[in-house]
Amino acid sequence: MKAREEGPDLPGVWAAYGVLLQHLRKRAGLNQQQLGDAIGYSLEQVASVEQGRRPAKAAFTVAAERVLEAGGVLEVLQDEVDRAKLPRFFRNFAVIEAEVVSRFEYEPLLIPGLLQTEAYARAVFAGHCPPLDKEIIDQHAEARLSRQKLLERVPMAELSFIITEETLRNPVGNEEVMRGQWQRLLDASRLRNVEVQVMPARPGFHVGLNGPFVMLETRDHQRLGYIESQEANCLISDPAEVSSFGMRYGKLRTQALNGVESARLIERLVGET
């Protein structure tokens, strides 16, 4: 009964993966227990994946590919399985994001998801209202980390992030979580295709005070804007509106610290803890 009640809200790609896994397992002459023993997972975990009730993790897929000699047919579904772990409202954006040639983001409240550590991401999801089940927190965190493949994807995407100093100093999680997060920002900023800038804390108005936003350029060079707040989002394609986003981002880049100055500020934060 529980599975039937959950079914309508579960992503179809999980069910498709499960059907394929079951076919490959039976072809190999294994029952669920035998497959679980061979790949290091329990009978319940294998059954849940086959029934589409739980998503396969990347490590599960790698092990199943090896044992079942699947020839990559499970692996090609993994990105879609991971994206389906994301909140429903965000999934369409994530599909577009994975293929962009450039992505620019201004974030005044939290470290951008593409730069978050697992500990920071879990702290963010743990603070959700209404509270999320632990399993949902696990799935959202895994999906967020999976999106970060964009940072080192080939061909490379040009990525720019502007983060406010207040965001860097806001203790999400605890001191250890923030120390790891600052180090993650420094590591990301050393990638050739990634620029991290800090908007210093200072009085007065700047255009970023109107809220966070993202600018994307697709492979066919279409420019898009994206805004999100309180789990409501909007993908913007109107050229005039996207142009306005571009002007605002350009102004913010001139007002923020440059890459070297930003790294020095983050290094000081690391040294203070």
Side-chain angles (χ1 to χ4, degrees), residues 106 160 162 195 197-200 202 206-207 246-258 261:
Y106 171 73
S160 171
I162 303 175
E195 182 177 40
Q197 292 181 259
V198 176
M199 178 67 73
R202 57 191 174 206
H206 60 77
V207 294
M247 286 188 282
R248 292 168 195 156
Y249 199 84
K251 186 176 287 291
L252 288 169
R253 285 184 111 166
T254 66
Q255 295 171 331
L257 302 177
N258 65 33
E261 294 167 338

Side-chain angles (χ1 to χ4, degrees), residues 134-159:
K134 181 181 182 302
E135 184 175 357
I136 299 300
I137 292 175
D138 290 344
Q139 291 176 11
H140 287 355
E142 290 164 8
R144 180 158 291 182
L145 295 179
S146 178
R147 286 174 54 218
Q148 295 179 4
K149 290 183 287 189
L150 178 62
L151 274 69
E152 300 186 74
R153 188 200 68 193
V154 177
M156 290 190 296
E158 186 69 25
L159 306 173

Side-chain angles (χ1 to χ4, degrees), residues 36-140:
D37 291 342
I39 66 177
Y41 287 83
S42 70
L43 168 63
E44 193 280 330
Q45 288 171 309
V46 172
S48 293
V49 171
E50 285 196 358
Q51 294 164 19
R53 293 187 289 110
R54 300 290 183 271
K57 295 184 178 181
F60 182 105
T61 295
V62 169
E65 282 275 354
R66 173 178 51 80
V67 170
L68 300 176
E69 298 181 353
V73 296
L74 293 174
E75 187 177 4
V76 296
L77 287 177
Q78 189 62 48
D79 283 347
E80 292 300 323
V81 169
D82 287 340
R83 270 195 285 269
K85 299 175 188 176
L86 290 163
R88 187 181 300 275
F89 76 90
F90 191 76
R91 292 174 192 167
N92 289 338
F93 173 79
V95 171
I96 298 171
E97 177 189 66
E99 300 295 326
V100 296
V101 296
S102 69
R103 184 188 187 282
F104 299 164
E105 178 172 4
Y106 171 73
E107 177 53 70
L109 300 173
L110 292 168
I111 302 298
L114 288 178
L115 300 178
Q116 289 178 8
T117 63
E118 180 177 356
Y120 188 100
R122 287 183 177 276
V124 170
F125 291 127
H128 190 275
C129 182
L132 300 174
D133 293 340
K134 181 181 182 302
E135 184 175 357
I136 299 300
I137 292 175
D138 290 344
Q139 291 176 11
H140 287 355

